[in-house]
Amino acid sequence: MTPAARRAVMFAAAAPVAGTILTGPSAFAAEKDTAKTYGTTLDPADQKIADNLNTRVQDPRLGTTLSGVVIDSESDKVIWGHDAATALMPASNTKLATATAALTVLGPDHKFTTKVVYGDGTLTLVGGGDRTLTSADLDALAKTAADGLKSAGLTSVKVRIDDSLFPEPTAATGWKPDYYPDTVAPVRPLVVDGHGVNDTSLDAGQVFSQRLTDQGITVNGDVTRGASGPGDVPVAQHTSASLSTIVEHMLTVSDSNTAETLLRMTALGAGRQATFEDGVAVVKEVLSQNYGVSLENFQMHDGSGLSRDTRIPAQTLADILDLTTDPRYSPTLSSIKDGLPVAGDDNGTLGPSSGRFDTPDSKCAVGKVMAKTGTLTGAIALSGFTKAEDGRWKVFSFIENGSTAATDDTRDAMDGLAATVNGCWA
């Protein structure tokens, strides 16, 4: 291995993230995991993987800028590396870092709460960072609130939304102006049915208002925005599914909006402001202080990976995934592995409808590879797991930047690398 591809291990002090009680291990507990073994003799099966990868990364469809690594999960032996410490634009593979921090700070059983409070003739819908809120949930909130109003002899009310939990949304560093609102909506703590609109809070308030009308309550005037008062009385609330369930879905379908919401809620959970900057700071603290993951060459600017200024080495992504296989960490982080798309499964981003694992070289790996995808213009990444021919789990991460080949062609080549690790493409 060249020096540039060697693992740079950071052992940070095991101080907890401010404002939280973390269940994750200290960097010292993680020392064995982060100290990958380089330069050791490979057994014949692993040597075959390494030799084949050395040949196949020269595929012109992958361009000339690639960071990649393969690790044996049980022994932490590095089987193969190619500029593994070189930081490249990882696209949606960034979500792996976001998920790790969210699960560590908030806990896998954490749930998000959306509330309705009443005061001064006004019902206020209070956003609590639940990106999975549905119109059916708002319907239930409206029915409970309407029943309470009617029992108090009230038949009319004003409606307000309170989305003060997050600061005024701004685009992250490296976001393109045309991202809004289809690729990602301005980050607010209140949204319904995942609507891709510029003001998701006001949109949710309008849906809630209509549901109140359907329940026989007259809504006076338009929906307004404002903070709920200290004397407002709680009248209804909805709690989300557990964070582990939300993380699984986010990774499977690569939901950028959920990732951005989780980044902000993680910042709040750590006692910081709900901003891009503070969310990223918490991610970095969790990775380095709780798990001993090196942050050398690590640059992150949002939770989803849409930022074109984010740079993460393949080695770092592989190290993050490797944590999920450790019995000490799996109670906290197992939903990351569970949420990875499976090759050939259209429930995620590696299915036939996405044109993945459907070539003669890679289709043999259908059902055998689970990996997080990532695609931006000029950047394609694939990081995950596969059980190789020796029966041992391998962790891999491949990131390419700047290929001039068609996106589908580069993805096909990347799928072939994963099939090589599996060993079915011998």
Side-chain angles (χ1 to χ4, degrees), residues 60-91:
R61 295 175 296 176
L62 294 170
T64 58
T65 306
L66 185 139
S67 177
V69 68
V70 179
I71 302 168
D72 182 279
S73 180
E74 183 178 338
S75 68
D76 282 337
K77 179 189 294 184
V78 175
I79 296 168
W80 174 86
H82 179 90
D83 291 338
T86 299
L88 298 178
M89 188 170 17

Short mmCIF file of all heavy atoms in Angstrom, two decimals, residues 60-91:
data_model
loop_
_atom_site.label_atom_id
_atom_site.label_comp_id
_atom_site.label_asym_id
_atom_site.label_seq_id
_atom_site.Cartn_x
_atom_site.Cartn_y
_atom_site.Cartn_z
N PRO A 60 -11.88 2.24 -18.11
CA PRO A 60 -12.01 3.67 -18.46
C PRO A 60 -13.34 4.27 -18.04
O PRO A 60 -13.44 5.50 -17.88
CB PRO A 60 -11.85 3.67 -19.99
CG PRO A 60 -12.06 2.26 -20.43
CD PRO A 60 -11.61 1.40 -19.29
N ARG A 61 -14.36 3.44 -17.82
CA ARG A 61 -15.64 3.97 -17.37
C ARG A 61 -15.54 4.57 -15.96
O ARG A 61 -16.39 5.37 -15.56
CB ARG A 61 -16.71 2.87 -17.38
CG ARG A 61 -17.05 2.33 -18.77
CD ARG A 61 -18.02 1.16 -18.66
NE ARG A 61 -17.43 0.02 -17.95
CZ ARG A 61 -18.08 -1.10 -17.65
NH1 ARG A 61 -19.37 -1.22 -17.97
NH2 ARG A 61 -17.46 -2.09 -17.02
N LEU A 62 -14.52 4.18 -15.21
CA LEU A 62 -14.33 4.68 -13.85
C LEU A 62 -13.47 5.93 -13.80
O LEU A 62 -13.25 6.50 -12.73
CB LEU A 62 -13.70 3.60 -12.97
CG LEU A 62 -14.58 2.37 -12.71
CD1 LEU A 62 -13.76 1.28 -12.05
CD2 LEU A 62 -15.79 2.74 -11.87
N GLY A 63 -13.00 6.38 -14.95
CA GLY A 63 -12.16 7.57 -14.98
C GLY A 63 -10.81 7.32 -14.35
O GLY A 63 -10.37 6.18 -14.20
N THR A 64 -10.16 8.39 -13.95
CA THR A 64 -8.81 8.28 -13.40
C THR A 64 -8.73 8.68 -11.93
O THR A 64 -7.65 8.63 -11.34
CB THR A 64 -7.85 9.18 -14.20
OG1 THR A 64 -8.32 10.55 -14.13
CG2 THR A 64 -7.78 8.75 -15.65
N THR A 65 -9.84 9.07 -11.33
CA THR A 65 -9.83 9.51 -9.94
C THR A 65 -10.76 8.63 -9.13
O THR A 65 -11.98 8.78 -9.18
CB THR A 65 -10.26 10.99 -9.83
OG1 THR A 65 -9.45 11.79 -10.69
CG2 THR A 65 -10.14 11.47 -8.40
N LEU A 66 -10.17 7.70 -8.41
CA LEU A 66 -10.96 6.74 -7.64
C LEU A 66 -10.31 6.47 -6.30
O LEU A 66 -9.10 6.30 -6.21
CB LEU A 66 -11.13 5.43 -8.42
CG LEU A 66 -12.05 4.37 -7.76
CD1 LEU A 66 -12.94 3.69 -8.79
CD2 LEU A 66 -11.20 3.32 -7.01
N SER A 67 -11.13 6.47 -5.25
CA SER A 67 -10.70 6.09 -3.91
C SER A 67 -11.46 4.82 -3.53
O SER A 67 -12.69 4.77 -3.64
CB SER A 67 -11.02 7.21 -2.91
OG SER A 67 -10.67 6.84 -1.58
N GLY A 68 -10.73 3.78 -3.15
CA GLY A 68 -11.40 2.53 -2.84
C GLY A 68 -10.67 1.71 -1.80
O GLY A 68 -9.44 1.84 -1.63
N VAL A 69 -11.42 0.87 -1.10
CA VAL A 69 -10.82 0.01 -0.09
C VAL A 69 -11.73 -1.18 0.15
O VAL A 69 -12.96 -1.08 -0.01
CB VAL A 69 -10.59 0.78 1.24
CG1 VAL A 69 -11.90 1.14 1.91
CG2 VAL A 69 -9.69 0.00 2.18
N VAL A 70 -11.15 -2.31 0.50
CA VAL A 70 -11.90 -3.51 0.90
C VAL A 70 -11.28 -4.03 2.19
O VAL A 70 -10.06 -4.18 2.28
CB VAL A 70 -11.85 -4.61 -0.18
CG1 VAL A 70 -12.61 -5.85 0.29
CG2 VAL A 70 -12.42 -4.10 -1.50
N ILE A 71 -12.12 -4.29 3.18
CA ILE A 71 -11.67 -4.74 4.50
C ILE A 71 -12.37 -6.04 4.85
O ILE A 71 -13.57 -6.20 4.59
CB ILE A 71 -12.01 -3.68 5.58
CG1 ILE A 71 -11.37 -2.34 5.25
CG2 ILE A 71 -11.58 -4.16 6.97
CD1 ILE A 71 -11.90 -1.20 6.11
N ASP A 72 -11.63 -6.96 5.44
CA ASP A 72 -12.25 -8.15 6.03
C ASP A 72 -12.84 -7.72 7.38
O ASP A 72 -12.11 -7.28 8.28
CB ASP A 72 -11.22 -9.25 6.24
CG ASP A 72 -11.84 -10.52 6.80
OD1 ASP A 72 -12.05 -10.58 8.03
OD2 ASP A 72 -12.14 -11.43 6.01
N SER A 73 -14.17 -7.83 7.52
CA SER A 73 -14.84 -7.28 8.68
C SER A 73 -14.42 -7.94 9.98
O SER A 73 -14.33 -7.30 11.03
CB SER A 73 -16.35 -7.39 8.50
OG SER A 73 -17.03 -6.86 9.61
N GLU A 74 -14.15 -9.23 9.94
CA GLU A 74 -13.83 -9.95 11.18
C GLU A 74 -12.42 -9.67 11.67
O GLU A 74 -12.19 -9.42 12.84
CB GLU A 74 -14.02 -11.45 10.96
CG GLU A 74 -13.78 -12.28 12.22
CD GLU A 74 -14.01 -13.76 11.99
OE1 GLU A 74 -14.73 -14.11 11.04
OE2 GLU A 74 -13.47 -14.57 12.77
N SER A 75 -11.47 -9.67 10.74
CA SER A 75 -10.06 -9.51 11.14
C SER A 75 -9.58 -8.08 11.05
O SER A 75 -8.50 -7.75 11.56
CB SER A 75 -9.18 -10.39 10.25
OG SER A 75 -9.18 -9.90 8.91
N ASP A 76 -10.34 -7.19 10.37
CA ASP A 76 -9.94 -5.81 10.09
C ASP A 76 -8.74 -5.74 9.15
O ASP A 76 -8.09 -4.71 9.04
CB ASP A 76 -9.65 -5.02 11.36
CG ASP A 76 -10.91 -4.56 12.06
OD1 ASP A 76 -11.94 -4.46 11.39
OD2 ASP A 76 -10.87 -4.33 13.28
N LYS A 77 -8.43 -6.84 8.49
CA LYS A 77 -7.35 -6.84 7.52
C LYS A 77 -7.78 -6.08 6.26
O LYS A 77 -8.87 -6.29 5.74
CB LYS A 77 -6.96 -8.26 7.13
CG LYS A 77 -5.83 -8.35 6.10
CD LYS A 77 -5.64 -9.78 5.60
CE LYS A 77 -5.15 -10.67 6.71
NZ LYS A 77 -4.88 -12.04 6.18
N VAL A 78 -6.94 -5.18 5.79
CA VAL A 78 -7.21 -4.47 4.54
C VAL A 78 -6.79 -5.39 3.39
O VAL A 78 -5.62 -5.73 3.24
CB VAL A 78 -6.46 -3.14 4.47
CG1 VAL A 78 -6.67 -2.49 3.11
CG2 VAL A 78 -6.94 -2.22 5.58
N ILE A 79 -7.75 -5.80 2.60
CA ILE A 79 -7.50 -6.72 1.50
C ILE A 79 -6.99 -5.99 0.27
O ILE A 79 -6.15 -6.50 -0.48
CB ILE A 79 -8.80 -7.48 1.16
CG1 ILE A 79 -9.22 -8.34 2.36
CG2 ILE A 79 -8.66 -8.32 -0.09
CD1 ILE A 79 -10.62 -8.88 2.23
N TRP A 80 -7.51 -4.78 0.09
CA TRP A 80 -7.14 -4.02 -1.12
C TRP A 80 -7.40 -2.55 -0.86
O TRP A 80 -8.34 -2.19 -0.14
CB TRP A 80 -7.97 -4.51 -2.30
CG TRP A 80 -7.80 -3.71 -3.57
CD1 TRP A 80 -6.85 -3.89 -4.53
CD2 TRP A 80 -8.61 -2.61 -4.01
NE1 TRP A 80 -7.02 -2.98 -5.54
CE2 TRP A 80 -8.09 -2.19 -5.25
CE3 TRP A 80 -9.72 -1.96 -3.47
CZ2 TRP A 80 -8.64 -1.12 -5.96
CZ3 TRP A 80 -10.27 -0.89 -4.17
CH2 TRP A 80 -9.73 -0.49 -5.41
N GLY A 81 -6.57 -1.71 -1.42
CA GLY A 81 -6.79 -0.28 -1.34
C GLY A 81 -6.25 0.43 -2.56
O GLY A 81 -5.26 0.01 -3.16
N HIS A 82 -6.92 1.50 -2.93
CA HIS A 82 -6.47 2.32 -4.06
C HIS A 82 -6.76 3.77 -3.68
O HIS A 82 -7.91 4.20 -3.68
CB HIS A 82 -7.23 1.94 -5.33
CG HIS A 82 -6.85 2.76 -6.53
ND1 HIS A 82 -5.83 2.40 -7.39
CD2 HIS A 82 -7.36 3.92 -7.01
CE1 HIS A 82 -5.73 3.30 -8.35
NE2 HIS A 82 -6.65 4.24 -8.15
N ASP A 83 -5.73 4.50 -3.29
CA ASP A 83 -5.90 5.89 -2.83
C ASP A 83 -7.03 5.97 -1.81
O ASP A 83 -7.88 6.87 -1.85
CB ASP A 83 -6.18 6.82 -4.01
CG ASP A 83 -4.97 6.98 -4.92
OD1 ASP A 83 -3.85 6.73 -4.46
OD2 ASP A 83 -5.15 7.35 -6.10
N ALA A 84 -7.02 5.03 -0.85
CA ALA A 84 -8.13 4.91 0.09
C ALA A 84 -8.29 6.12 0.99
O ALA A 84 -9.39 6.39 1.48
CB ALA A 84 -7.96 3.64 0.94
N ALA A 85 -7.22 6.85 1.24
CA ALA A 85 -7.29 8.02 2.11
C ALA A 85 -7.51 9.31 1.34
O ALA A 85 -7.56 10.39 1.94
CB ALA A 85 -6.01 8.14 2.94
N THR A 86 -7.65 9.21 0.04
CA THR A 86 -7.92 10.40 -0.79
C THR A 86 -9.38 10.78 -0.67
O THR A 86 -10.27 9.97 -0.92
CB THR A 86 -7.57 10.13 -2.26
OG1 THR A 86 -6.17 9.82 -2.36
CG2 THR A 86 -7.89 11.34 -3.12
N ALA A 87 -9.63 12.02 -0.28
CA ALA A 87 -11.01 12.48 -0.07
C ALA A 87 -11.62 12.93 -1.39
O ALA A 87 -11.07 13.78 -2.08
CB ALA A 87 -11.03 13.62 0.93
N LEU A 88 -12.76 12.33 -1.72
CA LEU A 88 -13.49 12.68 -2.93
C LEU A 88 -14.94 13.03 -2.58
O LEU A 88 -15.40 12.82 -1.46
CB LEU A 88 -13.47 11.50 -3.91
CG LEU A 88 -12.09 11.06 -4.42
CD1 LEU A 88 -12.24 9.85 -5.34
CD2 LEU A 88 -11.37 12.20 -5.13
N MET A 89 -15.64 13.59 -3.56
CA MET A 89 -17.05 13.92 -3.39
C MET A 89 -17.85 12.62 -3.29
O MET A 89 -17.92 11.86 -4.25
CB MET A 89 -17.51 14.77 -4.59
CG MET A 89 -18.89 15.33 -4.45
SD MET A 89 -19.36 16.56 -5.73
CE MET A 89 -18.19 16.32 -7.04
N PRO A 90 -18.47 12.32 -2.12
CA PRO A 90 -19.08 11.01 -1.91
C PRO A 90 -20.57 10.94 -2.22
O PRO A 90 -21.17 9.88 -2.08
CB PRO A 90 -18.86 10.78 -0.43
CG PRO A 90 -18.99 12.15 0.16
CD PRO A 90 -18.44 13.11 -0.90
N ALA A 91 -21.17 12.09 -2.59
CA ALA A 91 -22.62 12.13 -2.85
C ALA A 91 -23.38 11.56 -1.64
O ALA A 91 -23.03 11.84 -0.51
CB ALA A 91 -22.95 11.41 -4.15
#
